[in-house]
């Protein structure tokens, strides 16, 4: 009687080409876009020599394009932020590759250290800020390519009159 423990494969399975799926030239799933961002972030030789820091505005550089997507590299000096925005019809993933950033959404604030990735869908509203004392670098993949970045106004409880049923915290 055979059991799973009796099953053995002779030789190296990676030597059997018909069992392997060819890697895609360009990503098409969320997982593949996350993998693309992760692999580019890990290969500093692709982007490190391009990074610039600008004290007057956030620096950004389109690093790569593919069918329907773009990869952007951004630098953030202390105090710089994106403002509250969404990415129009684009989905995306961003990775902090150096330093630390803070992401603010209607759900709260999240610290993003080096290696942290955030995936977002169209309509995701957030603000990204470098609240630290050191410069930061992030890598962003947008699908489809970024064509708009609508800005939003931050809504907070202090900006409107208190209404019955409001919860106020100190």
């Amino acid at each position: 009687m055979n059991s799973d423990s009796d099953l053995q494969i002779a030789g190296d399975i990676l030597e059997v080409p018909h069992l392997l799926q060819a890697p895609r030239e360009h990503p098409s799933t969320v997982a593949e876009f996350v993998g693309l961002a992760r692999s580019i972030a890990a290969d500093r030789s692709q982007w490190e020599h391009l990074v610039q820091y600008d004290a007057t505005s956030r620096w950004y550089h389109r690093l790569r394009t593919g069918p329907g997507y773009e990869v952007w590299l951004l630098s953030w000096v202390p105090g710089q932020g994106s403002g509250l925005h969404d990415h129009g019809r684009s989905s995306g993933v961003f990775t902090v590759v150096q330093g630390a950033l803070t992401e603010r959404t209607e759900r709260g604030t999240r610290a993003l250290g080096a290696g942290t990735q955030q995936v977002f869908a169209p309509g995701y509203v957030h603000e990204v800020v470098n609240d630290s004392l050191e410069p930061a670098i992030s890598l962003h993949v947008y699908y489809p390519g970024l064509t708009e970045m609508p800005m939003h106004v931050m809504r907070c409880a202090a900006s409107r009159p208190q209404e019955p049923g409001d919860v106020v915290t100190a």
Side-chain angles (χ1 to χ4, degrees):
M1 178 176 240
N2 288 335
S3 69
D4 289 341
S5 61
D6 294 334
L7 180 62
Q8 294 184 5
I9 298 174
D12 184 353
I13 192 138
L14 298 178
E15 295 291 327
V16 186
H18 70 277
L19 295 177
L20 300 175
Q21 290 184 344
R24 294 180 195 251
E25 182 179 354
H26 299 289
S28 63
T29 66
V30 171
E32 289 171 345
F33 281 110
V34 168
L36 173 66
R38 197 172 281 154
S39 68
I40 294 172
D43 186 0
R44 295 180 79 89
S45 67
Q46 288 188 52
W47 53 265
E48 192 168 39
H49 63 284
L50 300 169
V51 176
Q52 298 175 25
Y53 296 100
D54 186 335
T56 59
S57 67
R58 268 183 311 127
W59 174 87
Y60 50 92
H61 173 78
R62 188 167 60 187
L63 194 57
R64 180 189 295 183
T65 60
Y69 72 90
E70 298 176 324
V71 179
W72 289 85
L73 186 64
L74 284 74
S75 71
W76 312 72
V77 298
Q80 285 181 337
S82 64
L84 193 64
H85 68 281
D86 69 59
H87 303 94
R89 62 188 189 96
S90 298
S91 295
V93 57
F94 73 91
T95 304
V96 178
V97 295
Q98 182 176 305
L101 296 169
T102 302
E103 180 185 41
R104 296 184 182 108
T105 68
E106 65 180 12
R107 292 184 170 177
T109 299
R110 180 175 175 217
L112 307 169
T116 304
Q117 289 190 292
Q118 175 71 6
V119 176
F120 55 87
Y124 180 72
V125 178
H126 70 156
E127 177 181 33
V128 179
V129 179
N130 182 351
D131 284 332
S132 76
L133 298 176
E134 299 294 327
I137 302 170
S138 58
L139 183 97
H140 304 243
V141 179
Y142 300 104
Y143 179 84
L146 194 60
T147 58
E148 60 181 318
M149 198 171 106
M151 301 306 288
H152 295 259
V153 175
M154 181 72 77
R155 292 184 209 169
C156 64
S159 67
R160 62 175 177 76
Q162 187 175 351
E163 297 176 12
D166 282 352
V167 176
V168 179
T169 59

